[in-house]
Amino acid sequence: FENVLNNITAEGENYGRTTAEKPEKVMVEFVSANPTGPMHMGNARGGVLGDCLAEVLSRAGNEVTREFYVNDAGNQIDKFATSLDARYRQILLGEDAVEFPENGYHGNDIKVLAQKFFEKHGDSWLNRPEKERFDALAAFGLEHNIPAMKADLQRYLINYDVWFFESELHNSDYVADTVKKLTENGYSSLLSDVSIIEIPHKVGSLQSLLKAIDENGVNIEYMYGLSIESDTAYVVLKASDVNGL
């Protein structure tokens, strides 16, 4: 026991660390919480698990990089911007004058950010083009939220080697080049809108549907059916026009 304590004292922070015969480069990406709002307990748990995993891999002799992937592009940022915009305009025009988007972020943190934006800019953004206003509000919100996330993580001693921003990926040529190469090598696919029609799961239902399709002159490119529940079936079809059905 005395020898163990002496070894711990002698090696300090390096106690328990080994040298791998063939060390590997390992990237551990963890937490990567949505930057549109405060982190929650699930993020905290993921932080502990990810950091512990990275430390174990590091002490096993591997070259480990800790990465936080910042989702600062895409649908959630669009929703973030429209939510902030609605709250900002409500401050200026009144809540009854501006409808808040049903699928927006309803948390109080959005109101706080919109108020800060108003305190800094007043009504100077009210009549600016919508796209410009959305971009400005999103950037303002991220400038406040991301440092707060970093501070929360550092409070329980989690530090990252890399904070990678999704926007950097989209602004580079990497995505376009990758899509081009996949397409050239036959690995691309096309997405197409389809219609899903619910019918009773019984004899004659499909015949009735096909009759309606024929009578309305609807051109069908393809279709298939499936049943999930015992009394209901679904027909998925790609058609030129389904309004007449």
Side-chain angles (χ1 to χ4, degrees), residues 21 45 50 53 56 82 94-95 122 131 188 199 201 204 234 240-241:
E21 184 176 340
R45 180 181 61 183
L53 175 60
V56 169
T82 57
E95 291 193 9
K131 178 62 167 59
S188 63
I199 61 174
H201 190 198
Y234 302 90
S240 59
D241 180 20

Side-chain angles (χ1 to χ4, degrees), residues 81-166:
T82 57
S83 300
L84 286 170
D85 181 67
R87 293 306 188 197
Y88 171 64
R89 289 186 295 119
Q90 283 179 347
I91 293 172
L92 293 166
L93 305 174
E95 291 193 9
D96 294 337
V98 180
E99 183 179 1
F100 192 82
E102 184 178 350
N103 65 339
Y105 293 122
H106 292 256
N108 188 63
D109 57 294
I110 297 296
K111 290 184 176 181
V112 172
L113 285 173
Q115 181 65 37
K116 289 181 178 180
F117 186 85
F118 167 72
E119 291 172 357
K120 182 176 181 178
H121 298 286
D123 65 355
S124 61
W125 280 92
L126 180 61
N127 297 316
R128 299 282 287 273
E130 186 179 82
K131 178 62 167 59
E132 292 183 14
R133 194 170 66 245
F134 283 2
D135 290 344
L137 282 159
F140 181 86
L142 293 175
E143 287 170 2
H144 283 75
N145 284 354
I146 293 174
M149 294 167 67
K150 290 183 177 181
D152 287 342
L153 290 163
Q154 289 172 353
R155 287 177 64 187
Y156 57 117
L157 307 181
I158 293 180
N159 295 287
Y160 289 87
D161 302 299
V162 177
W163 285 74
F164 183 83
F165 290 79
E166 183 179 346

